[in-house]
Amino acid sequence: MAPKSTKAAGAPAHGYEFFGPPGAAGISFGLPILCYVFTFVCNDISGCPAPSLLSPKTFSLDQLKREAGWPEDGIWGLASWKASAAMAAYYLLNLILYRVLPAQEVEGTVLATGGRLKYRFNTLYSNTLTLALLAAGTAAQGANFPVWVFISENYVQLLTASIIIAYSLSTFVYVRSFSVKAGNVQNRELAAGGHTGNLLYDWFIGRELNPRVTIPLIGEVDIKEWCELRPGMMGWIILNCSFCAQQYRNFGHVTDSIICITIVQALYIIDSWVFEAAILTTMDITTDGFGMMLAFGDLVWVPFVYSQQTRYLSNHPLSLGPIGLAAMLALIGVGFFIFRSANLEKNNFRNNPNDPKVAHLKFIQTKTGSKLLTSGWWGVARHINYLGDWIQSWPYCLPTGMAGYQILAAGSWAGEDAYVMQDGRQVIQGNAKGWAIPITYFYVVYFAVLLIHRDRRDDEKCYRKYGDDWVKYKKVVRYRIIPGIY
């Protein structure tokens, strides 16, 4: 589908993305519903998926609600003041740590105004301290540490609170973006594709490129950069840990599968904190405005959808065994090596092309003054780092196996292969075997689509920027992501 041209007066010839306003509406209001679908269809009351979904001939909505744990208060039960206050306190803690802990100040890339924004980086310190506090609480109280219990008991309400925050933040930055003036001394500017004149689309894609706000006692906060690596990414680790604790409370032990996923995902996240400055050259920071797309992705999608595998294993405690565990770690190692090596090579070349590590690399000198690498990792494929990223996603999903389970009442005879919970209920696969694959393997499919889409967006952006030089570059580096295939 060819992108429509923007029609706002003076708007750049950027065009709609995500199928324009209809796509923006579908993503903005459809993905929150999908989050609730995952939550209720795969549950700790009746199974994953809920048994009624496997019996269409006798399907009953009321029965499905009972099986899925639908709140007695109906839709109003999806939220609570208690969970909302807890989420607000979590965000406030992140802001306080952002301000009080030591930080490195780094300048961003050159803006269209010719200036550079300064960024305050201390995510590693901030989130490490948060993890240390959670570790101390767990050491003292084990799986019954109140934070883990609270998350398990208020998961749906915490999801709702996060969605409300994402919607509110998107609306706030959209309204505030109309105060951006050309040539302003604050280096505020609109995103190239974010001011089409269509309210819904601009709210979704983000009008302002780098919205900032000054908060009393906290100071200036770059909203987009702060959201990218702090509450959502940290929340991903927290949710994984809470599901490990839930598995222990359910079965009295923790399996190698859930530990493996939790650790490797934590290492992936911590790696982004260690190399926090690398975010300044990503499309999210340099090109995309901050709107519903990034707010929802950072604050809701990442923590609540990316942790679905550990949530599943907290109720169906599969074990990998030594061979399975070694295979998962090998996949992670290969993927991480490609991902990190490629990104470091690019960042080293951008920062110092004369560095002995990258001085031998070949490149195309563009008319804009930029250099496009044509050897090393970036001579293999135009987004070889995406391949490494995608390889890492498989070990997140494979430990769930042929996903699907049923939860039977205490006292039921389910056979010797059943997992018995501490409260006497039994977990078996039964007729549910394989039916939860769309949930536990959703991440690897979604991630592939995301990376392919990002590659195509980047291709369009680079063509607009480099013109004929980009065409020349693509003739040298032919493959997009997978060498020899794509």
Side-chain angles (χ1 to χ4, degrees):
M1 175 179 176
K4 295 181 180 179
S5 60
T6 52
K7 297 181 179 180
H14 191 281
Y16 282 142
E17 297 181 88
F18 300 96
F19 301 100
I27 294 172
S28 298
F29 304 110
L31 292 189
I33 294 174
L34 183 61
C35 289
Y36 286 118
V37 169
F38 284 164
T39 299
F40 289 110
V41 167
C42 191
N43 62 77
D44 59 359
I45 297 173
S46 62
C48 181
S52 290
L53 298 174
L54 301 177
S55 304
K57 292 183 179 180
T58 58
F59 177 82
S60 165
L61 184 58
D62 289 337
Q63 177 65 17
L64 178 61
K65 287 182 177 180
R66 288 191 292 272
E67 293 173 352
W70 184 256
E72 294 182 1
D73 296 337
I75 194 171
W76 300 109
L78 298 177
S80 74
W81 289 111
K82 180 171 62 174
S84 299
M87 189 61 74
Y90 170 66
Y91 274 72
L92 179 60
L93 173 63
N94 272 275
L95 285 168
I96 292 173
L97 294 179
Y98 165 78
R99 176 47 51 193
V100 302
L101 293 179
Q104 175 189 16
E105 285 201 352
V106 178
E107 285 191 336
T109 58
V110 178
L111 301 170
T113 60
R116 290 174 180 260
L117 292 171
K118 287 186 177 181
Y119 292 85
R120 180 180 174 83
F121 287 154
N122 64 1
T123 300
L124 180 62
Y125 298 145
S126 174
N127 290 346
T128 298
L129 177 58
T130 303
L131 286 174
L133 294 174
L134 292 172
T138 305
Q141 297 178 288
N144 291 311
F145 180 43
V147 171
W148 308 140
V149 175
F150 182 86
I151 291 173
S152 294
E153 293 178 348
N154 298 273
Y155 179 81
V156 175
Q157 291 74 23
L158 291 171
L159 169 62
T160 302
S162 297
I163 293 173
I164 292 173
I165 290 173
Y167 274 36
S168 302
L169 194 56
S170 305
T171 304
F172 169 76
V173 295
Y174 174 78
V175 172
R176 189 170 178 272
S177 71
F178 287 94
S179 63
V180 175
K181 297 179 181 179
N184 70 85
V185 295
Q186 297 176 314
N187 288 321
R188 295 181 65 193
E189 63 182 68
L190 300 180
H195 49 113
T196 67
N198 183 283
L199 187 154
L200 175 61
Y201 180 82
D202 292 348
W203 172 79
F204 164 75
I205 207 72
R207 288 190 88 245
E208 188 169 354
L209 183 62
N210 296 296
R212 295 186 165 205
V213 63
T214 300
I215 303 174
L217 303 180
I218 301 295
E220 186 180 65
V221 178
D222 186 288
I223 298 175
K224 181 166 64 173
E225 193 280 327
W226 188 84
C227 288
E228 282 276 314
L229 297 178
R230 291 174 184 268
M233 295 288 267
M234 183 71 229
W236 185 3
I237 294 181
I238 291 174
L239 286 177
N240 279 343
C241 291
S242 75
F243 293 133
C244 288
Q246 185 173 329
Q247 187 187 74
Y248 188 87
R249 293 196 304 273
N250 283 340
F251 301 99
H253 67 274
V254 182
T255 60
D256 56 4
S257 57
I258 198 170
I259 292 174
C260 175
I261 294 175
T262 299
I263 291 177
V264 297
Q265 289 186 343
L267 291 175
Y268 174 80
I269 296 165
I270 293 171
D271 174 75
S272 71
W273 301 342
V274 173
F275 297 98
E276 185 174 11
I279 196 176
L280 296 181
T281 60
T282 63
M283 183 185 296
D284 287 356
I285 300 296
T286 63
T287 305
D288 293 334
F290 186 80
M292 179 60 181
M293 179 180 73
L294 288 181
F296 182 83
D298 292 340
L299 309 180
V300 183
W301 193 254
V302 166
F304 288 93
V305 173
Y306 289 11
S307 60
Q308 284 302 311
Q309 293 79 30
T310 52
R311 181 170 179 263
Y312 172 89
L313 291 168
S314 70
N315 296 300
H316 189 214
L318 296 175
S319 181
L320 290 169
I323 296 177
L325 184 60
M328 295 305 103
L329 293 177
L331 271 177
I332 284 288
V334 170
F336 183 78
F337 174 73
I338 296 172
F339 172 78
R340 179 46 60 201
S341 298
N343 282 337
L344 280 177
E345 184 180 79
K346 177 182 67 175
N347 288 328
N348 287 339
F349 186 80
R350 282 180 172 174
N351 293 329
N352 182 14
N354 297 318
D355 187 324
K357 296 178 181 178
V358 295
H360 64 285
L361 296 177
K362 298 178 181 179
F363 58 86
I364 291 176
Q365 180 72 56
T366 69
K367 298 179 182 67
T368 65
S370 300
K371 298 175 181 178
L372 301 174
L373 287 172
T374 57
S375 67
W377 280 112
W378 300 93
V380 178
R382 301 198 289 272
H383 276 117
I384 189 67
N385 57 329
Y386 287 2
L387 175 60
D389 222 0
W390 189 62
I391 290 174
Q392 290 184 84
S393 70
W394 277 97
Y396 300 169
C397 304
L398 288 171
T400 64
M402 292 294 291
Y405 62 80
Q406 294 175 306
I407 299 179
L408 306 181
S412 302
W413 170 246
E416 297 180 356
D417 294 334
Y419 299 97
V420 181
M421 290 184 168
Q422 300 279 53
D423 60 8
R425 292 183 298 161
Q426 298 185 56
V427 180
I428 64 170
Q429 285 207 283
N431 296 331
K433 184 176 182 179
W435 286 100
I437 286 177
I439 296 175
T440 64
Y441 286 79
F442 173 82
Y443 177 80
V444 74
V445 177
Y446 154 77
F447 202 44
V449 173
L450 173 69
L451 294 175
I452 291 171
H453 183 256
R454 285 179 68 90
D455 166 75
R456 292 184 178 275
R457 291 183 68 210
D458 188 60
D459 184 69
E460 293 177 4
K461 181 199 78 171
C462 289
Y463 179 72
R464 289 194 299 268
K465 181 177 181 179
Y466 301 118
D468 293 340
D469 288 327
W470 185 248
V471 175
K472 178 182 176 182
Y473 166 73
K474 291 202 294 183
K475 290 180 180 179
V476 179
V477 184
R478 296 171 52 202
Y479 296 103
R480 292 174 178 267
I481 299 174
I482 307 176
I485 299 176
Y486 176 76

